[in-house]
Amino acid sequence: LSEAYERLQPETAHLQPDEADALTGRDLRRVQGPTRGTQVPHLAVSHWCSQSSLRPGIDTLVHRYGEVRFSAFEPLLTLLREHSGGTADGTADCFIDIGSGTGKLVLFAAALGLQSVGIELVHSRHVVGLRVQQALLEEDHGDEKTAPLAAAIQGRIGGASLRCADALAPSEADSLGNGTLFLCNNAVWPSRLTAEVVTRGLTPERAPRLSVLATLKEVPEEALEAASLVLARASCVSVTWDPIG
């Protein structure tokens, strides 16, 4: 996966200023999440960036693209699965990456055997993920010893779903509905957008199987309460955003 992205991911996958302006200017309505104190609370795991990805004093998007590193993702995924403790109905976990960028983590999770879905709003990033996914599916593994395993992994990667969409759109309810393990790549999101995604996008109606949510920046406390989420842990994860981006 890492080699495929090095070959196929162009610099144009980074966020362009006009796209950033469009995202910043979205109509973010005031969050008015209902109180659901009688429901069993979900579990939220919050993972913090080691450096702030926002310019000091400015709660806005920065024209910079970053990701969770491959080396950090597998331990994070293991942690999510440990906190999840399995699904109540005995079905398999499903990993949902909101703000999936070029789809690296989605394809990685799929290769490990998880049903995986990535939702990315910026088209140029989404296209990179599709190109890498297709390239991996077309690779020829002629070694008889490794071919069966390679074919199995290719099948898993081919089953991953990369979507170019707004996670808050009504059309994405089906995509979110099967998710149990969620990652929200909100390192450079305004706090109000994080709150909106949590309180509007991850409601029990839209994400009924959600058991664990990981974020790269803290979720506002009032948003956690409104969404019946409980902060279980804060720790560090290695990312590619730098202190000014």
Side-chain angles (χ1 to χ4, degrees):
L1 273 171
S2 180
E3 291 176 359
Y5 273 97
E6 287 178 4
R7 294 197 314 266
L8 297 171
Q9 180 174 350
E11 288 300 317
T12 53
H14 295 300
L15 185 63
Q16 299 300 313
D18 58 337
E19 293 173 313
D21 292 341
L23 293 176
T24 306
R26 287 186 58 215
D27 176 21
L28 300 178
R29 290 182 293 275
R30 183 184 177 196
V31 175
Q32 294 179 331
T35 300
R36 301 195 302 271
T38 58
Q39 299 203 12
V40 177
H42 297 314
L43 180 67
V45 183
S46 180
H47 287 265
W48 297 68
C49 293
S50 60
Q51 298 281 356
S52 171
S53 293
L54 294 176
R55 294 192 180 103
I58 301 178
D59 186 21
T60 187
L61 290 174
V62 181
H63 303 165
R64 183 78 176 183
Y65 179 67
E67 297 170 317
V68 175
R69 298 182 187 277
F70 275 133
S71 60
F73 179 60
E74 189 169 7
L76 172 58
L77 191 59
T78 299
L79 179 64
L80 291 180
R81 300 184 83 170
E82 288 175 352
H83 274 282
S84 173
T87 58
D89 56 6
T91 56
D93 276 319
C94 175
F95 172 67
I96 307 286
D97 188 356
I98 299 177
S100 55
T102 61
K104 286 184 178 181
L105 303 186
V106 179
L107 299 184
F108 189 92
L112 294 177
L114 277 174
Q115 179 185 356
S116 302
V117 178
I119 303 175
E120 172 57 44
L121 191 59
V122 180
H123 183 262
S124 59
R125 300 176 187 172
H126 169 71
V127 169
V128 171
L130 292 181
R131 289 177 59 204
V132 172
Q133 184 181 35
Q134 187 60 38
L136 291 170
L137 294 178
E138 293 174 355
E139 282 192 358
D140 181 21
H141 299 275
D143 189 324
E144 293 183 0
K145 293 183 179 180
T146 61
L149 177 59
I153 293 175
Q154 281 182 321
R156 295 172 182 175
I157 290 174
S161 175
L162 297 175
R163 300 181 57 78
C164 186
D166 183 342
L168 295 177
S171 60
E172 293 310 297
D174 289 342
S175 299
L176 299 172
N178 287 328
T180 58
L181 314 176
F182 283 75
L183 173 64
C184 195
N185 283 290
N186 65 333
V188 295
W189 293 6
S191 295
R192 65 186 185 280
L193 178 55
T194 295
E196 189 179 23
V197 167
V198 170
T199 57
R200 286 184 53 208
L202 301 181
T203 63
E205 293 74 23
R206 284 172 60 89
R209 300 180 67 222
L210 185 156
S211 62
V212 185
L213 165 67
T215 64
L216 299 181
K217 189 173 68 173
E218 74 270 32
V219 177
E221 186 174 346
E222 62 274 15
L224 285 176
E225 183 177 351
S228 299
L229 292 163
V230 178
L231 177 63
R233 174 170 175 164
S235 60
C236 294
V237 63
S238 178
V239 300
T240 60
W241 286 278
D242 63 35
I244 62 170

